[in-house]
Amino acid sequence: MYKNTFGPTPRAIGAMTLKTDALPKFIVIGGPCSIENEEQVNKIFDSIQNHVTHFRGGVFRAGTYPGDLWGWQMDLLKMYHKEANARGKPNIVDVLDFRDLEKIDPYTDVFQVGTRQCQHYALLKELGRQKKPVVLKRGLYQTLAEFMGSLEYVLKGGNNNVILCERGNVSYLDHVRWELSISMIAKLKQLTNMPVIVDASHGTGDRTIVEPMALAGMAAGADGMLIETHPDPDKSLSDAEQAIHMDQFKQIVDKAVKIMGIR
Ligand code: MN
């Protein structure tokens, strides 16, 4: 059983995420799986800007096969950062390699450690030395204790601005791509005072159950949600099967606010 050895840690990220009047004490991360073009970004950001605290969007992704990879598209990254900041919101960028940090830092407000990088300790150590917040996703196979180990790598470097993200794990079940662990959210809230968010997009891989699973995560104590959204979900460049339209995204956020009011 994991024992909390690092003690209470300031919820510094809270101050940054509480800026919208509409959504106090609530982290909502929305945007497409992949940043595709300026038109797509503007459509999505215009639609959801009053329902999010952060924008997300992939500009360099870890594909399952090396052929799925494409290099840093700096023009897309710069545009994504500019459009997010123009709306008064931070942008979140996935980091695969600490060697990329210097290059992407000027255009990144929050770093994200994807599920496959969650035990990339050299990267975690380097992010510990950064000042910017880090969204740390639980690894596909990670137990609670192992996830806490990854967290400690970042905290030990002196960076307490960590948002923990539950995004599901491998399992024997075959009705979902990944099995979202609701109990993980409750245990993370019990063991740490880090903000915890639920990613029901990757946590299911199935747009028909993104809403109930996101709301279940909120009921279990999550401080917010990460949801992938797209103007034309079927045409998403990546993760199309889990993308939802912005209208549904906003409905989920409104329902989550109600759940927070009664839990
Ligand atoms: Mn995705």
Side-chain angles (χ1 to χ4, degrees):
M1 187 46 148
Y2 176 77
K3 292 271 186 297
N4 183 354
T5 55
F6 50 83
T9 313
R11 299 188 53 158
I13 186 69
M16 200 189 97
T17 56
L18 302 184
K19 280 185 182 161
T20 53
D21 293 335
L23 302 165
K25 299 182 185 173
F26 189 23
I27 299 166
V28 182
I29 301 171
C33 183
S34 295
I35 300 290
E36 298 172 11
N37 54 58
E38 200 166 345
E39 188 196 341
Q40 174 228 29
V41 164
N42 279 313
K43 244 187 213 172
I44 297 172
F45 288 10
D46 281 346
S47 172
I48 64 172
Q49 59 183 337
N50 294 325
H51 283 74
V52 298
T53 52
H54 301 67
F55 287 114
R56 61 144 289 130
V59 278
F60 183 74
R61 302 181 53 261
T64 303
Y65 303 97
D68 297 345
L69 285 173
W70 59 92
W72 276 109
Q73 295 178 291
M74 291 305 289
D75 50 338
L76 284 183
L77 176 63
K78 287 176 191 175
M79 178 273 293
Y80 163 44
H81 182 241
K82 189 179 97 193
E83 295 300 338
N85 285 186
R87 291 163 175 86
K89 312 282 178 178
N91 74 331
I92 301 180
V93 177
D94 226 49
V95 193
L96 298 181
D97 190 323
F98 54 84
R99 289 170 295 192
D100 294 329
L101 276 172
E102 207 174 314
K103 188 165 52 168
I104 66 170
D105 183 69
Y107 312 104
T108 305
D109 298 316
V110 177
F111 297 113
Q112 176 174 289
V113 179
T115 187
R116 292 168 187 83
Q117 273 63 249
C118 203
Q119 288 178 303
H120 182 171
Y121 298 126
L123 172 64
L124 298 177
K125 278 188 195 169
E126 192 50 50
L127 290 172
R129 293 188 198 106
Q130 305 294 315
K131 300 263 182 292
K132 290 178 183 174
V134 176
V135 173
L136 186 64
K137 290 197 164 199
R138 183 167 70 92
L140 289 174
Y141 293 85
Q142 264 190 325
T143 63
L144 174 61
E146 288 162 351
F147 191 26
M148 294 295 91
S150 296
L151 170 62
E152 283 192 42
Y153 268 95
V154 183
L155 297 180
K156 273 208 155 173
N159 189 351
N160 287 335
N161 291 334
V162 182
I163 299 173
L164 299 172
C165 180
E166 166 55 33
R167 56 82 68 214
N169 50 258
V170 292
S171 86
Y172 62 91
L173 301 171
D174 60 4
H175 67 288
V176 280
R177 188 172 180 206
W178 317 108
E179 174 63 6
L180 188 75
S181 175
I182 299 297
S183 60
M184 186 65 67
I185 293 168
K187 290 304 286 184
L188 290 171
K189 289 308 299 178
Q190 193 182 75
L191 287 174
T192 79
N193 64 355
M194 297 286 155
V196 176
I197 60 170
V198 52
D199 172 0
S201 297
H202 300 91
T204 62
D206 176 352
R207 75 169 68 119
T208 66
I209 55 169
V210 165
E211 175 166 333
M213 296 310 288
L215 297 178
M218 294 306 299
D223 300 286
M225 311 180 293
L226 183 162
I227 297 177
E228 289 185 345
T229 182
H230 197 279
D232 192 351
D234 284 330
K235 295 208 174 112
S236 296
L237 261 190
S238 51
D239 286 349
E241 53 295 320
Q242 71 198 33
I244 59 168
H245 192 270
M246 290 88 79
D247 291 341
Q248 195 191 355
F249 177 94
K250 290 186 272 192
Q251 284 166 20
I252 298 173
V253 175
D254 291 342
K255 287 180 187 175
V257 171
K258 287 186 187 150
I259 288 174
M260 290 184 83
I262 57 168
R263 73 182 190 203

